[in-house]
Amino acid sequence: NSTNETGFRVERAKDIAFTVEVAVFSTAADTTTFSDMQLAPQTTYYYRVFAVSGNDLSSPSNTASATTLAAPPTAPTNLVVSSVTKNAISIRWKDNANNELGFYVERCTSSCGSTGTGWTRIATLGPDVTSFTNSGLSRRTTYWYRVQAYNATGSSAYSNIVSAKTK
C-alpha cells in the first residue's frame, strides 16, 4: 500500500510474538512476494512485513503463518539378497527412516541400472518392514531389486541395487 518505500523488511519467527528465532530479510521496493527457503520440516513459521523508507519502518502488516511439510524419508541402505530358491528371491535392507509410511520394492528383469528404464513396482510394504520375498519367479532367471521409502511428502532416494539368479 505504500508509495514511497525504498524496500520491505520481512520478519520470520517461530512464535506469534516474534521472540523465538527471529530472522529478518530485505526486499526491493515494489516487491509483493517473498520465498523463504531452507526451512525445517513440520515447523510453523510466522511472518510480518514492514515497508521501509530510508531509516523509517511502517507499522507491521498482519501476521501470517504457515507450517512446512514433513521431510521425505531417508533412503534405505544395505540391500542384500538373503535367500534364493528355484522360484523365489528374498531381500532385506536397513530402514534408516523414522517417518516413512512404508516401502516400495521395485524389480527389473534386465540390468536396468539405477536410472535405466524397465523397473516395475512389485510391492508396497508398511512402515518398519525390512524384508520381502518375491515368489512365483521363473527358474534360472536373474532379477534386479531396489527399495525406496515413502511418506506423504514424497519418496526417498533408492537403495543400492542387488541381483540374484533363481536356481
Side-chain angles (χ1 to χ4, degrees):
N1 293 330
S2 58
T3 58
N4 63 342
E5 82 276 357
T6 56
F8 292 94
R9 173 184 170 130
V10 178
E11 293 183 350
R12 176 191 74 209
K14 287 190 175 178
D15 70 320
I16 197 162
F18 286 84
T19 60
V20 177
E21 294 186 38
V22 177
V24 177
F25 307 93
S26 297
T27 69
D30 299 322
T31 301
T32 59
T33 62
F34 173 76
S35 295
D36 198 1
M37 308 302 242
Q38 307 295 326
L39 301 174
Q42 289 184 299
T43 303
T44 300
Y45 293 96
Y46 297 86
Y47 296 88
R48 64 185 178 188
V49 179
F50 299 82
V52 177
S53 180
N55 291 327
D56 297 327
L57 291 178
S58 69
S59 298
S61 67
N62 62 301
T63 298
S65 66
T67 302
T68 55
L69 298 173
T74 303
T77 56
N78 300 329
L79 178 63
V80 296
V81 174
S82 54
S83 70
V84 178
T85 66
K86 64 181 179 180
N87 64 359
I89 296 173
S90 296
I91 57 174
R92 70 176 191 271
W93 57 90
K94 181 179 180 193
D95 176 2
N96 295 308
N98 61 7
N99 63 344
E100 82 272 7
L101 293 176
F103 293 91
Y104 298 132
V105 177
E106 294 185 1
R107 180 184 71 202
C108 185
T109 54
S110 65
S111 184
C112 297
S114 61
T115 58
T117 59
W119 289 101
T120 302
R121 184 174 300 161
I122 59 169
T124 300
L125 308 172
D128 302 321
V129 175
T130 58
S131 64
F132 174 74
T133 298
N134 187 195
S135 57
L137 301 175
S138 300
R139 293 187 74 185
R140 295 182 202 84
T141 304
T142 302
Y143 296 90
W144 285 261
Y145 296 91
R146 65 185 184 184
V147 179
Q148 185 178 44
Y150 73 91
N151 66 16
T153 303
S155 298
S156 71
Y158 287 103
S159 68
N160 56 297
I161 296 170
V162 295
S163 66
K165 185 175 184 177
T166 52
K167 296 181 179 182

